[in-house]
Amino acid sequence: MAELTEKLTGLYLVATPIGNLEDMTLRALRVLKSVDLIAAEDTRHTRQLLTHFDIHAPLESCHSFNEHQKVGKLVERLRAGQSIALVSDAGTPSLADPGYLLVNEALKAGIEPVVVPGVSALTFAVTASALPVDHFQFLAFAPVKSGRKRKFMEKIRDYAGTTFFFESPFRVSKTLRELAGIAGAARPAAIIREATKLHEEVKRGTLGELAALPDNWRGEFVIGVGPSDADRVPDEDHL
């Protein structure tokens, strides 16, 4: 007997696993099986996920290089009563991934997006870092150009809470060394590598200690930098 699925309408922002496929939620599976269209950052990547879970909804690409051309047509489909799920390659749409433009245009059209939450590299890092997270900021990817990167690091230095950001494996060691010089080698920090994947690893220490580790990093990284003891924002609930 064929599986019965609920008829959906509207826009769904669906979080997908960042590594371990067992992190796919039952709600995400139900939505992806029921929508009229899945708008994906990379259709090839998403098709592998859909094949694994035996999902056969139509796919269409919607990424940072074509979203300005695609969003208008997607919104028209939503206005016509169709249902669209937006997914990124891994994690949560709009969180350092495409999604903002479609969400914004849908809201202008009077369409309230439905968030289907799940795992993300940021929330994993916040939990795993063992850094104080009563106050934290997320700065997405570290800039490459030296001038912008220095301002980025000064923002971390001057923030009285914990900062999380993404970094390329090819720049992890250099970034940690530069951060140690600008923000202070004694600042507590954590490296979260390959979250939820086979080679998942979390290293904790000071910026100076982590910067001194061998420069042979591989995988996907989130770096957390805690405040200095002098700068830490007090938790008002415990004053």
Side-chain angles (χ1 to χ4, degrees):
M1 181 177 177
E3 180 181 358
L4 297 178
T5 54
E6 170 189 358
K7 173 59 180 173
L8 302 178
T9 60
L11 176 62
Y12 295 80
L13 311 179
V14 182
T16 55
I18 60 175
N20 192 324
L21 294 180
E22 292 182 359
D23 291 332
M24 191 73 167
T25 69
L26 295 175
R27 186 181 177 199
L29 289 173
R30 177 178 61 82
V31 168
L32 293 180
K33 289 179 178 180
S34 305
V35 293
D36 297 306
L37 176 71
I38 298 173
E41 183 179 3
D42 185 332
T43 55
R44 295 166 299 180
H45 184 96
T46 300
R47 194 174 300 281
Q48 294 177 13
L49 177 72
L50 300 185
T51 298
H52 179 84
F53 289 108
D54 194 28
I55 298 171
H56 305 284
L59 271 175
E60 184 170 323
S61 67
C62 184
H63 48 71
S64 57
F65 298 104
N66 72 0
E67 60 182 345
H68 286 276
Q69 290 75 41
K70 291 289 185 76
V71 161
K73 294 180 180 178
L74 292 175
V75 171
E76 284 304 311
R77 296 182 68 159
L78 291 169
R79 291 167 66 98
Q82 293 191 22
S83 55
I84 297 175
L86 177 67
V87 300
S88 59
D89 286 351
T92 302
S94 297
L95 186 58
D97 279 333
Y100 168 77
L101 184 60
L102 178 56
V103 169
N104 196 43
E105 292 302 312
L107 288 171
K108 289 179 182 178
I111 300 164
E112 182 69 34
V114 177
V115 178
V116 182
V119 69
S120 78
L122 173 60
T123 55
F124 185 101
V126 168
T127 305
S129 69
L131 296 169
V133 291
D134 45 347
H135 298 81
F136 70 88
Q137 63 178 349
F138 172 57
L139 300 182
F141 287 92
V144 176
K145 294 185 178 179
S146 58
R148 291 180 59 201
K149 193 170 186 180
R150 181 171 184 86
K151 290 181 179 178
F152 175 91
M153 293 182 176
E154 289 172 348
K155 188 173 183 178
I156 296 173
R157 178 196 64 195
D158 297 338
Y159 181 62
T162 295
T163 299
F164 294 93
F165 63 94
F166 297 151
E167 185 54 287
S168 159
F170 306 107
R171 295 190 293 270
V172 167
S173 291
K174 181 180 179 182
T175 293
L176 290 170
R177 290 193 298 269
E178 292 173 347
L179 257 177
I182 293 173
R187 290 280 283 263
I191 300 171
I192 297 90
R193 184 178 77 88
E194 292 289 271
T196 82
K197 302 181 180 69
L198 179 63
H199 300 293
E200 174 184 306
E201 182 179 28
V202 180
K203 289 189 176 295
R204 306 176 185 91
T206 65
L207 279 174
E209 291 167 344
L210 296 179
L213 294 174
D215 186 6
N216 56 0
W217 300 109
R218 293 183 181 181
E220 296 183 347
F221 290 82
V222 184
I223 295 176
V225 181
S228 66
D229 290 339
D231 290 337
R232 182 175 176 183
V233 175
D235 186 342
E236 295 179 357
D237 291 338
H238 294 87
L239 291 179

